C-alpha cells in the first residue's frame, strides 16, 4: 500500500499539526480546548457597566490563580475563555463598576462554576448568595482555597441553589420538596436584596450599615460572614431589609423586593436543601468516604407503609459529593438479604458497612456499591446499631438487642468476633479515639463502656446520668455523649407520664422496633413535652467534666459530630433541629460563649425528625430525616392518606456553618488541611 495516498497524507499532516501545536503552537492548542463564555453583570436587573470581571482558577490545596481580567460593557456584558480541567474549579468575581452611571465601588459579586462549564454565565446578587453559602468556609476574600474534596463539594452544590447561567433559582430549590417546605428561597432573596444595597449609589448609608453589621468592607465579604454565622445580627439585618423594601400600605406588598420575600424575621439566614432518591427513607447514621460521598442505611423502603409496628426494611443509600443519588431508587443497594438498617452505618478504608434489623452485617464496595457480604461472624448476634472505625482499620459494631460488641480486626469482614462486656445493655453508639479506645454507649442503662482496642479484654465503665445514644470524640480526646432517657431511678421530666401499662423504668425490649414503638408511645401521651435529655462532656481520663449540656433545647438528642474547630453538632430527634454547641476551645466560639453553651439551634421545614448530623470536607452539615409524621409511625391501623408517611424523607444539607473536617472518620475528628 502506498503510504502517501491522499487519505494517509491527510492523517500525517493532521498528526504533524497536533505535534507542532503541542510543541510550539501552544496558543492554537489552548484555543481548541477553551470554552468561550459570555456573561452579564447585573444587580436588581440593572446592568453593571465597567465592572472589573476576573476569572480565577483553583485546585485542591493550592493558591488560586487569576486567569484574566476584563471590563463589562455598558449593558453589563463580558466574555472570557475557560479551560476546563479535571480537579479545577473556576469562579468569576465582579468588582465595582457603574449602575445608572453612578459608581458602585463597594459592590463585589461572585459566581462559582462547577465542572459543567457552558457558554453563558450570570454574575448578580443571587449567584453571589448561591455561590457563597456552599463555599463559605473556603472563601477568604476573593480567594477560594480548600482541599480537593472541599472544592468539589462546594462548587458542586451551587447549582442546587442558583442557576449560574441565568442567575435565577436552581432546579433543586424549585422542586416541591424544597420550595414549598422551607424559607430557603425567601431567605436567598432577602440576602440578595441586602447585597443589592451596595449596587445603588442612593443607598450608600445602608450599604455601610450592612458592612458594620457583618464586619466587612465589600458586599462579597458581607455575604461570606453572614453565611458562616447566619444567626448573628439577624434581627438588625432583617430591619435593614424592611427599611429599604417597605410594605406598600395600599397593596400590602414590598413592591421593590424580590419575590418571594420573608414576611417575618427569620431565626437565622442559614440555607438548607433537601435531597431525595436512591432508596433514602428513614435514614439512620450518616458517613462520608474518602471522596466526600455520603452513605447511609435506610430503616424502611420508600413507597411502603412501613413504621415501627409493620416494616419493610430498606438497604444502603449512596449519594455523591453533590448529593446526587448513586444507589438504585426504592431498594437502595442490597444483594445481601438485608431487611432494614438502624443507626448502623460506618466507613472503613475500602468498604461501607451497615448493621441491620435482621441480624446481619452488610458490606459494600465504596467504588460501585457492589455487595460483598454479608459479613462472617463467629457466633450468633442480634439486631445491630452503631459502627465505629479505628485508625488501624478495625471495625466495631454494637449488637443492640443481645448486648454484645462485634470486632472485625483490620476491617476484614470475613473474621468477625463477638465479644462480651459487663455493663452493656442495649449498646448503641460507637466512637473510637486516637488511643484506639472504643467508646460505647448503652441506651438501657446509664453506663458508658470504654474498651482498649489493642487488648479488648481490658475495659472500664463510666456511670453517666441517663441512657445514651450517639457520641463523638474531639481532637483532644474528649467524648461528647447524647443522653436522653431510661433513668435508672425511673425519674420522668416534670409533668410527664408513662403510657398505660408500661413499667417504669421500662425493660429492655427484644427488638429495636419495639424500643422505637415504646418511644413513640411515650411521645404520644406527652404531647406538651418540649425538652427531654441533654449532653455530657467526658474527659480522656474518663472524668465527667460537665453534665446537662443543652438541656434547654435538647428534645431526645441523638447523633453527635465534631467539626474542625472542635465545636459540637447534635441531631435533635423530636426537636427536629441541629444543635450547635461550643466545644472545649472557647476561642473558636462566638464572643461570650464558653464550653457547653448552645451557639444556635438550626431549624427548617425540610429538617424532619432527625437522627444524625455530620460535617463534610467543605464545612456543610448533612442531616438524616428519620421520621416524617410521628403520629403515624405506630401504624396499627390503615389510613389511605397517611399510610406511607412515617419515614423521614431523604437528607438535608445546611450550608457553610461548620468548620471543615477530613473524612472519613477513622478515630477522632481531624481538622481540614
Amino acid at each position: 500500500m502506498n503510504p502517501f495516498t491522499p487519505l494517509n497524507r491527510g492523517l500525517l499532516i493532521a498528526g504533524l499539526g497536533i505535534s507542532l501545536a503541542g510543541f510550539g503552537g501552544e496558543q492554537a492548542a489552548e484555543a481548541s480546548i477553551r470554552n468561550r463564555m459570555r456573561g452579564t453583570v447585573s444587580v436588581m436587573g440593572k446592568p453593571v457597566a465597567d465592572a472589573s470581571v476576573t476569572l480565577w482558577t483553583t485546585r485542591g490545596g493550592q493558591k488560586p490563580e487569576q486567569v484574566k481580567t476584563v471590563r463589562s460593557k455598558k449593558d453589563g456584558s463580558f466574555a472570557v475563555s475557560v479551560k476546563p480541567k479535571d480537579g479545577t474549579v473556576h469562579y468569576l468575581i465582579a468588582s465595582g463598576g457603574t449602575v445608572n452611571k453612578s459608581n458602585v465601588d463597594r459592590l463585589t459579586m461572585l459566581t462559582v462554576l462547577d465542572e459543567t462549564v457552558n457558554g453563558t454565565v450570570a454574575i448578580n446578587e443571587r449567584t453571589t448568595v448561591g455561590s457563597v453559602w456552599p463555599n463559605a468556609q473556603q472563601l477568604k476574600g476573593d480567594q477560594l482555597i480548600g482541599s480537593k474534596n472541599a472544592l468539589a463539594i462546594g462548587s458542586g452544590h451551587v447549582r442546587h441553589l442558583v442557576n449560574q447561567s441565568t442567575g435565577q433559582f436552581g432546579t433543586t430549590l424549585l422542586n416541591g420538596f424544597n420550595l414549598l417546605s422551607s424559607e430557603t428561597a425567601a431567605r436567598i432573596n432577602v440576602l440578595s436584596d441586602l447585597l443589592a444595597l451596595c449596587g445603588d449609589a442612593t443607598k450608600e448609608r445602608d450599604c455601610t450599615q450592612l458592612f458594620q453589621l457583618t464586619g466587612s468592607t465589600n458586599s462579597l465579604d458581607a455575604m461570606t460572614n453572614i453565611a458562616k454565622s447566619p444567626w448573628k445580627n439577624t434581627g438588625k439585618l432583617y430591619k435593614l431589609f424592611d427599611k429599604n423594601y417597605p410594605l406598600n400600605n395600599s397593596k400590602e406588598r414590598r413592591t421593590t423586593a424580590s419575590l418571594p420575600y420573608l414576611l417575618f424575621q427569620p431565626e437565622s439566614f442559614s440555607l438548607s436543601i433537601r435531597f431525595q432518591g436512591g432508596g433514602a427513607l428513614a435514614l439512620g447514621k450518616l458517613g462520608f468516604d474518602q471522596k466526600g460521598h455520603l452513605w447511609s442505611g435506610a430503616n424502611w423502603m420508600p413507597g411502603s407503609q412501613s413504621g415501627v409496628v409493620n416494616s419493610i426494611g430498606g438497604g444502603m443509600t449512596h449519594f455523591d459529593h453533590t448529593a446526587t443519588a448513586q444507589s438504585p431508587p426504592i431498594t437502595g443497594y442490597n444483594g445481601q438479604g438485608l431487611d432494614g438498617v438502624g443507626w448502623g452505618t460506618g466507613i472503613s478504608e475500602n468498604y461501607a458497612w451497615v448493621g441491620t434489623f435482621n441480624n446481619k452485617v452488610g458490606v459494600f464496595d465504596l467504588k460501585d456499591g457492589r455487595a460483598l457480604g454479608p459479613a462472617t461472624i463467629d457466633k450468633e448476634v442480634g439486631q445491630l446499631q452503631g459502627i465505629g472505625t479505628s485508625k488501624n482499620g478495625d471495625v466495631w459494631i454494637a449488637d443492640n438487642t443481645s448486648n454484645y460488641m462485634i470486632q472485625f480486626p483490620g476491617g476484614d469482614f470475613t473474621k468477625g468476633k463477638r465479644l462480651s462486656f459487663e455493663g452493656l445493655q442495649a449498646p448503641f453508639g460507637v466512637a473510637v479515639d486516637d488511643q484506639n479506645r472504643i467508646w460505647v454507649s448503652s441506651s438501657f442503662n446509664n453506663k458508658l463502656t470504654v474498651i482498649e482496642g489493642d487488648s479488648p479484654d481490658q475495659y472500664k465503665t463510666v456511670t453517666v446520668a441517663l441512657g445514651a445514644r450517639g457520641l463523638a470524640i474531639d481532637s483532644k480526646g474528649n467524648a461528647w455523649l447524647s443522653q436522653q432517657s431510661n433513668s435508672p431511678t425511673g425519674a420522668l421530666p416534670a409533668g410527664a407520664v408513662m403510657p398505660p401499662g408500661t413499667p417504669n423504668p421500662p425493660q429492655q425490649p427484644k427488638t429495636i422496633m419495639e424500643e422505637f414503638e415504646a418511644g413513640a408511645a411515650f411521645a404520644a401521651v406527652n404531647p406538651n413535652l418540649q425538652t427531654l435529655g441533654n449532653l455530657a462532656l467526658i474527659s480522656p481520663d474518663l472524668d465527667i467534666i460537665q453534665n446537662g449540656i443543652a438541656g434547654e433545647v435538647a428534645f431526645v438528642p441523638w447523633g453527635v459530630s465534631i467539626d474542625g474547630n472542635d465545636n459540637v453538632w447534635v441531631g435533635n430527634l423530636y426537636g427536629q433541629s441541629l444543635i450547635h454547641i461550643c466545644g472545649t476551645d472557647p476561642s473558636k466560639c462566638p464572643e461570650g460563649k464558653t464550653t457547653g453553651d448552645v451557639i444556635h439551634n438550626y431549624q427548617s421545614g425540610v429538617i424532619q425528625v432527625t437522627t444524625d448530623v455530620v460535617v463534610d470536607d467543605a464545612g456543610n452539615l448533612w442531616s438524616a430525616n428519620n421520621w416524617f409524621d410521628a403520629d403515624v409511625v405506630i401504624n396499627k391501623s390503615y389510613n389511605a392518606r397517611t399510610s406511607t408517611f412515617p419515614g423521614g424523607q431523604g437528607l438535608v444539607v445546611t450550608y457553610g456553618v461548620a468548620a471543615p473536617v477530613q473524612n472519613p472518620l477513622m478515630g477522632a475528628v481531624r481538622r481540614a488541611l
Side-chain angles (χ1 to χ4, degrees):
M1 179 178 178
N2 184 350
F4 294 103
T5 61
L7 174 60
N8 286 326
R9 186 181 298 114
L11 292 172
L12 177 63
I13 292 171
L16 286 171
I18 293 171
S19 176
L20 289 172
F23 180 75
E26 186 175 335
Q27 290 182 341
E30 286 190 359
S32 68
I33 59 174
R34 285 183 178 273
N35 291 343
R36 184 74 167 170
M37 181 171 291
R38 299 186 181 278
T40 57
V41 186
S42 65
V43 60
M44 295 298 280
K46 299 174 182 178
V48 182
D50 201 35
S52 173
V53 180
T54 302
L55 172 65
W56 292 80
T57 182
T58 185
R59 294 178 63 85
Q62 298 180 14
K63 186 176 180 180
E65 297 179 0
Q66 294 187 34
V67 178
K68 189 173 184 180
T69 298
V70 298
R71 287 281 177 180
S72 61
K73 298 179 180 179
K74 289 183 179 180
D75 61 355
S77 65
F78 65 92
V80 292
S81 293
V82 177
K83 184 180 180 181
K85 187 176 181 181
D86 288 346
T88 297
V89 172
H90 294 85
Y91 62 100
L92 292 157
I93 290 183
S95 301
T98 62
V99 177
N100 292 335
K101 297 183 180 181
S102 296
N103 291 331
V104 286
D105 295 337
R106 296 187 293 177
L107 179 67
T108 304
M109 298 186 293
L110 168 71
T111 300
V112 175
L113 306 173
D114 60 15
E115 68 277 3
T116 58
V117 175
N118 58 25
T120 60
V121 64
I123 308 175
N124 63 19
E125 65 277 16
R126 191 175 278 143
T127 69
T128 306
V129 174
S131 295
V132 165
W133 259 247
N135 294 284
Q137 296 291 332
Q138 277 64 246
L139 276 168
K140 309 290 188 297
D142 59 8
Q143 305 282 290
L144 183 60
I145 305 174
S147 68
K148 179 181 177 181
N149 279 355
L151 294 174
I153 293 167
S155 64
H157 277 258
V158 175
R159 62 183 170 86
H160 298 306
L161 296 170
V162 66
N163 184 317
Q164 297 106 309
S165 295
T166 65
Q168 302 301 315
F169 287 132
T171 55
T172 310
L173 175 55
L174 291 175
N175 70 35
F177 300 123
N178 286 290
L179 183 63
L180 306 181
S181 300
S182 76
E183 298 174 7
T184 296
R187 289 184 183 185
I188 288 175
N189 276 346
V190 170
L191 290 161
S192 298
D193 289 357
L194 286 172
L195 184 156
L197 296 174
C198 300
D200 186 341
T202 68
K203 302 288 188 179
E204 186 174 347
R205 289 185 178 179
D206 298 301
C207 177
T208 297
Q209 186 178 356
L210 174 65
F211 294 166
Q212 290 171 342
L213 291 173
T214 58
S216 54
T217 57
N218 65 64
S219 56
L220 174 58
D221 288 346
M223 293 299 107
T224 303
N225 291 340
I226 295 173
K228 291 178 179 178
S229 302
W231 39 263
K232 188 175 182 179
N233 289 327
T234 302
K236 293 178 180 178
L237 288 168
Y238 185 76
K239 287 180 181 178
L240 181 62
F241 165 77
D242 185 52
K243 169 190 170 185
N244 283 278
Y245 305 91
L247 286 169
N248 183 317
N249 290 329
S250 62
K251 296 182 179 179
E252 288 300 316
R253 176 176 283 197
R254 302 180 190 274
T255 54
T256 58
S258 302
L259 295 172
Y261 50 75
L262 295 170
L263 287 173
F264 306 100
Q265 176 185 315
E267 293 183 350
S268 81
F269 282 108
S270 63
L271 303 180
S272 298
I273 289 285
R274 182 166 67 196
F275 298 93
Q276 301 197 158
L281 184 80
L283 297 181
K285 185 77 182 76
L286 308 177
F288 288 108
D289 66 18
Q290 292 87 340
K291 295 184 294 185
H293 288 206
L294 183 126
W295 300 75
S296 181
N299 291 181
W300 302 318
M301 191 172 290
S304 69
Q305 298 170 318
S306 295
V308 295
V309 177
N310 303 296
S311 174
I312 301 174
M316 171 68 96
T317 67
H318 173 203
F319 291 79
D320 73 7
H321 61 282
T322 71
T324 301
Q326 304 298 298
S327 45
I330 301 181
T331 61
Y333 295 135
N334 203 312
Q336 301 171 75
L338 314 181
D339 189 13
V341 182
W343 209 67
T345 302
I347 304 295
S348 63
E349 185 175 354
N350 298 309
Y351 310 130
W353 304 67
V354 288
T356 73
F357 296 145
N358 63 329
N359 314 70
K360 294 183 180 181
V361 174
V363 185
F364 300 86
D365 192 318
L366 289 176
K367 296 177 182 177
D368 54 15
R370 180 167 50 95
L372 302 173
T376 303
I377 306 168
D378 62 356
K379 299 175 184 176
E380 291 186 359
V381 297
Q383 298 183 3
L384 309 173
Q385 290 285 21
I387 300 178
T389 307
S390 305
K391 294 177 73 173
N392 68 4
D394 291 355
V395 173
W396 294 79
I397 302 180
D399 182 341
N400 181 261
T401 58
S402 297
N403 303 326
Y404 298 114
M405 290 297 294
I406 307 165
Q407 181 191 19
F408 293 90
D412 186 338
F413 60 85
T414 68
K415 297 181 179 179
K417 299 188 296 183
R418 193 189 77 181
L419 305 175
S420 298
F421 300 94
E422 185 179 354
L424 288 182
Q425 189 174 1
F428 194 91
V430 182
V432 185
D433 65 20
D434 285 342
Q435 300 179 51
N436 199 27
R437 296 185 300 179
I438 293 77
W439 300 60
V440 185
S441 66
S442 285
S443 60
F444 264 82
N445 64 20
N446 60 333
K447 305 298 181 184
L448 177 66
T449 304
V450 183
I451 304 163
E452 295 290 340
D454 297 326
S455 303
D457 58 328
Q458 299 180 32
Y459 61 96
K460 295 181 179 179
T461 301
V462 182
T463 299
V464 295
L466 299 168
R469 298 289 182 182
L471 72 162
I473 311 295
D474 67 21
S475 68
K476 300 181 181 67
N478 301 294
W480 293 79
L481 178 71
S482 64
Q483 307 174 117
Q484 48 178 246
S485 58
N486 302 322
S487 164
T489 64
L492 293 172
V497 297
M498 293 295 290
T502 303
N504 187 25
Q507 300 300 305
Q508 181 180 348
K510 295 180 180 179
T511 71
I512 292 170
M513 284 303 176
E514 285 181 4
E515 179 187 353
F516 290 166
E517 181 181 356
F522 178 82
V525 300
N526 292 282
N528 297 321
L529 197 63
Q530 298 296 316
T531 59
L532 177 66
N534 52 61
L535 276 83
L537 170 60
I538 302 163
S539 77
D541 297 327
L542 310 188
D543 296 323
I544 296 177
I545 299 173
Q546 194 172 344
N547 232 319
I549 296 169
E552 69 274 21
V553 294
F555 193 10
V556 191
W558 210 273
V560 185
S561 290
I562 311 296
D563 70 16
N565 283 337
D566 266 351
N567 288 329
V568 183
W569 295 88
V570 184
N572 195 26
L573 187 84
Y574 280 158
Q576 301 186 56
S577 66
L578 314 176
I579 307 173
H580 188 191
I581 298 170
C582 178
T584 55
D585 183 358
S587 70
K588 300 293 179 61
C589 302
E591 185 177 354
K593 297 291 184 180
T594 191
T595 300
D597 287 350
V598 173
I599 296 172
H600 188 68
N601 189 31
Y602 290 84
Q603 292 184 297
S604 171
V606 293
I607 297 174
Q608 299 170 349
V609 177
T610 186
T611 48
D612 199 27
V613 57
V614 291
V615 183
D616 70 21
D617 298 65
N620 306 308
L621 299 177
W622 301 52
S623 55
N625 284 337
N626 190 250
W627 290 354
F628 170 38
D629 190 335
D631 292 337
V632 293
V633 166
I634 307 176
N635 54 347
K636 294 182 178 180
S637 59
Y638 173 65
N639 183 315
R641 192 182 69 82
T642 62
S643 67
T644 60
F645 280 18
Q649 300 163 330
L651 56 88
V652 177
V653 180
T654 301
Y655 291 110
V657 294
V661 301
Q662 294 181 63
N663 283 300
L665 181 63
M666 298 174 66
V669 67
R670 297 174 294 163
R671 290 179 60 97
L673 293 174

